[in-house]
Amino acid sequence: MLSLLAAGLVWSFREKQPADPVIGSADASGALVLHVFSPGMRNPNVARLTTDYGVVLYRSREKGATFVLGDRGKNSVREFGDYSDFVKALGELPSGSVITIYDRCQMPRFFDFYPVHQAMYRMFANDCAKRGLKLAEHPKITCTCSETEWR
């Protein structure tokens, strides 16, 4: 009987797990969701756009190279699979704008581009400078240390 009760609790708990936060939508706090680190985990880690402009640059098995641009003023998040399209979108931002890189603790997503991650960063920084954009002195870091269990 106890095992049936425990099985019911586990089933009930799994059924009520919330879906991953949706990129480009507002979360419960009203902040724009820029990126979800660890989707599919019991505790997905959400990067909320708290600056005027934010970017996430990463590579994954599912999507390949992905470049994310968040614009708080327009309440929008756009994902690009092509770097030149991403740079074109950066060029639409007002000159003098500050771009903040959003990343995770431990192993930065930018390192997904290893072994060319340093060259990629320099190219990104140069492309921002050519368009009159400034990079924030410090990135915004989302702690992902709680990645412990799949749903």
Side-chain angles (χ1 to χ4, degrees):
M1 173 106 152
L2 185 57
S3 63
L4 287 176
L5 177 61
L9 287 175
V10 170
W11 175 82
S12 175
F13 180 73
R14 286 190 179 149
E15 287 299 307
K16 293 179 182 176
Q17 281 294 315
D20 287 331
V22 177
I23 294 170
S25 67
D27 68 2
S29 73
L32 192 62
V33 175
L34 180 65
H35 186 70
V36 178
F37 295 99
S38 327
M41 298 295 279
R42 186 170 304 273
N43 298 311
N45 299 287
V46 178
R48 294 166 180 85
L49 185 63
T50 59
T51 58
D52 290 338
Y53 304 101
V55 297
V56 180
L57 312 163
Y58 68 98
R59 184 172 64 190
S60 69
R61 282 185 224 135
E62 300 83 24
K63 294 183 180 181
T66 304
F67 311 97
V68 180
L69 174 60
D71 182 331
R72 192 165 60 170
K74 290 184 178 177
N75 202 36
S76 74
V77 175
R78 296 186 289 169
E79 286 190 353
F80 302 88
D82 183 279
Y83 184 75
S84 61
D85 291 339
F86 173 65
V87 170
K88 189 173 167 183
L90 288 172
E92 297 168 3
L93 301 179
S95 182
S97 297
V98 177
I99 308 296
T100 303
I101 295 174
Y102 285 71
D103 216 329
R104 64 183 176 203
C105 65
Q106 299 178 358
M107 178 65 76
R109 289 297 321 243
F110 208 77
F111 282 29
D112 294 347
F113 292 104
Y114 181 85
V116 297
H117 60 291
Q118 291 174 332
M120 185 80 175
Y121 177 80
R122 284 191 301 274
M123 183 173 71
F124 169 67
N126 288 335
D127 286 333
C128 285
K130 287 178 193 173
R131 285 150 185 82
L133 305 173
K134 301 172 188 174
L135 289 179
E137 188 174 343
H138 300 288
K140 292 280 186 175
I141 301 298
T142 298
C143 179
T144 57
C145 296
S146 63
E147 296 178 6
T148 58
E149 191 175 338
W150 290 100
R151 283 191 219 152

